[in-house]
Amino acid sequence: MADKQKTDKKDKAQKPNIFKRLVTFFTNLKAELKRVVWPDRKKLIQSTLTVLVICILAGLTLFIVDSVLGGILNGIGFYDVKAATPTTQVTTTVETTTQTTAATTSTSTAG
């Protein structure tokens, strides 16, 4: 138990408080940002346009592939709306019960 208390105190002694760590973080961040080579305006516009063109081409490619595959699947009947909603016949027991009761009453009255 005494060993655990010693290690807890040792960890707290080594780690500075939160404010000191934040100051150190932002100081290091500022120094790192000074080393960054920022692109000039021409290079920034060129890179932005390249990204936009690639995104548009990827979107068009996906649209074309989706349309072609959808057309093929519709052509072979995979997306047939009529087949997707099957019709079922439901027989109700109310009619059967009513007919049986009527037949039973007519038989019992006749006898």
Side-chain angles (χ1 to χ4, degrees):
M1 185 98 146
D3 292 335
K4 186 176 181 183
Q5 288 176 351
K6 288 180 183 178
T7 56
D8 289 343
K9 288 180 182 178
K10 187 177 179 183
D11 288 340
K12 287 182 181 179
Q14 289 178 350
K15 190 185 280 188
N17 67 10
I18 186 78
F19 298 111
K20 190 171 183 177
R21 286 187 284 161
L22 281 173
V23 168
T24 305
F25 171 77
F26 283 110
T27 304
N28 291 339
L29 179 69
K30 185 176 177 181
E32 190 68 31
L33 286 176
K34 286 182 180 178
R35 291 186 224 143
V36 173
V37 178
W38 297 101
D40 59 345
R41 185 174 180 86
K42 183 181 176 184
K43 181 68 175 172
L44 180 67
I45 291 173
Q46 181 183 5
S47 299
T48 304
L49 289 176
T50 303
V51 169
L52 289 175
V53 168
I54 290 172
C55 288
I56 290 170
L57 288 175
L60 286 173
T61 303
L62 289 173
F63 174 75
I64 291 169
V65 169
D66 182 52
S67 298
V68 168
L69 289 176
I72 291 171
L73 292 174
N74 278 333
I76 63 173
F78 188 76
Y79 288 135
D80 192 14
V81 177
K82 293 178 184 175
T85 55
T87 56
T88 57
Q89 293 181 344
V90 179
T91 56
T92 58
T93 57
V94 175
E95 294 173 358
T96 310
T97 308
T98 310
Q99 291 171 356
T100 307
T101 308
T104 307
T105 21
S106 61
T107 311
S108 60
T109 11

